[in-house]
Amino acid sequence: MKFITNLKYLTFLGLLLVNVHLSVAQEIIEDEPTPSDSTVVETTKMKDSTAAYQARKVDGVAAVVGDYIVLDSDVNRAFRQLEAQGVNTKEITRCQLFGKLLEDKLYAHQAVQDSIVVSDAEIRSKVDYQIEQFLQQVDGSMERLLKLYGKEDEKSLRDEMFEINKSNELSAKEQENIIKDLEITPEEVRIFFNKIPKDQRPTFGTELKVAQIVAIPKISEEEKQRVINRLKEFKEDIVENGASFRSKAVLYSEDPGSASRGGRYTLNKKQPRMAKEFRQVAFSMQEGEVSDPFETEFGYHILKVDKIRGQEYDVSHILLIPKPSQKEIDEARERLEKIRKRIVDGDISFADAAREASDEKETRADGGQLINPQTQDYNFELTRMDTELYTQIQNLKDGEVSQIFTEQDRTGKPKFKILMVTGRIDEHKADFARDYLKIKDLALEEKKLKTIEEWQKEKINDTYIKINGDYRNCEFSSNWLKK
């Protein structure tokens, strides 16, 4: 099915490039005659009262798209990054990758024209996180990292990464803006399905419905109070004695995502991020204030507001996680063993046992039924199932109760669960009634692609674009050469 194949390919290539870090120059390009197809004149606005422009020649410019340029080195670097991620680039041509870079620059350029704003603080926070991740790959050596990326100092690396991330964020937001209001009607789904030749309709693999019952060890009130008292001691030392909040976060915080950078996060009132309780505390405080201990699903925190910039708050926090005792861990397992025995003996159904005894709020009311996060229904396609879940249920017969599995929750605390396969649909050709939700998703993806293609066609015509050198010989899917 040609159009579905193309759709999947374009989506795949787009996903590959989401996290590729490309060198980006964001100077404005004047539409002036150039010495050759491989060079352009770049203008940089001078910082004086006359707002004059100073021209300088830049080599290796592959293309100009509005206010952005694409360098020859960007294409090379994109290939290297894909290969570093284990992608087989033999199936991706240089022209295809170059075309994707042109699209990204067109999105970013139009985002500026549409007054789309990205948070500089959020971008800086993202750069901080990326630097931390990169340093872990080079044993914490900034010198090695700078050598790897060909930079003289940390500031130049951070500056480039800031511009890269900002451009990527603008591009992503513009793409979201193009399709944000798209919906699809049942009639459109029917038309989409009927136009697929019967011998080309997709085959959906075997699907299972899976339910689980979870037992989570209880945390004693004494343990909770111990953690709260510890955080109160931290606050007193910081407020009364001038101790460093950042140092305590590095030494004691149990948040792996922020401890190494002193517990630092940037919050924005318009962008939901972090637990609701965390945001409520942060946005109720004044600059420099340190909170009392408070609880979220992750544990107990104290929080300091470092800086307020309108809608943005730079905050630091220390997280401590109460731990269950071995006795409490054993009690949770024993409780689940008794529940399992009742189900196996036929005293209670799996669904009723889940509603009665499961500690997992998200699934308890549905009789323990798991929801597929990709499709938002109860069906899990066997070949696309999470590896860990597949391992746990692969040998289960329908209606059979699994043995007890031990896992860790997001905070590292142990929990126990049992599973059951509650339904099965064998591999089959797409059926409109049975597979409506999957067909609807395919139809919506096609509609999104068509909308983006129409948008690109219009904006390419309205935007200054110049392709240089051998890239003019590429056969683009979009009219970048304006022929």
Side-chain angles (χ1 to χ4, degrees), residues 119-133:
S119 164
D120 284 356
E122 289 282 348
I123 300 298
R124 285 193 292 270
S125 178
K126 185 177 291 187
V127 170
D128 288 343
Y129 176 77
Q130 289 170 347
I131 292 287
E132 291 290 340
Q133 297 300 305

Side-chain angles (χ1 to χ4, degrees), residues 26 54 90 93 138 145 168 249 274 305 324 425 483:
Q26 299 195 61
Q54 180 182 16
K90 292 180 180 178
T93 69
V138 291
L145 183 62
N168 289 345
M274 309 294 289
V305 175
I425 301 174
K483 293 181 177 178

Side-chain angles (χ1 to χ4, degrees), residues 245-287:
F245 194 105
R246 176 183 175 84
S247 295
K248 287 190 181 295
V250 171
L251 290 171
Y252 303 111
S253 180
E254 295 178 289
D255 176 11
S258 71
S260 63
R261 58 176 189 270
R264 187 74 176 270
Y265 284 108
T266 297
L267 307 181
N268 190 303
K269 287 186 174 181
K270 295 182 179 180
Q271 298 173 348
R273 184 184 177 193
M274 309 294 289
K276 179 180 70 174
E277 300 87 352
F278 191 97
R279 291 169 56 81
Q280 287 175 340
V281 171
F283 294 144
S284 68
M285 293 170 59
Q286 301 297 314
E287 195 170 295

Side-chain angles (χ1 to χ4, degrees), residues 166-194:
K166 188 169 185 177
S167 175
N168 289 345
E169 187 71 12
L170 283 169
S171 176
K173 283 184 176 293
E174 181 63 23
Q175 291 177 66
E176 292 172 7
N177 190 49
I178 296 166
I179 60 175
K180 66 179 180 181
D181 297 323
L182 276 187
E183 296 179 351
I184 195 159
T185 66
E187 178 63 14
E188 287 177 306
V189 178
R190 186 189 65 79
I191 293 171
F192 169 83
F193 182 73
N194 287 339

Side-chain angles (χ1 to χ4, degrees), residues 308-321:
I308 299 175
R309 298 186 305 278
Q311 300 290 312
E312 293 179 343
Y313 282 53
D314 289 338
V315 303
S316 302
H317 83 122
I318 299 171
L319 168 68
L320 295 183
I321 303 170

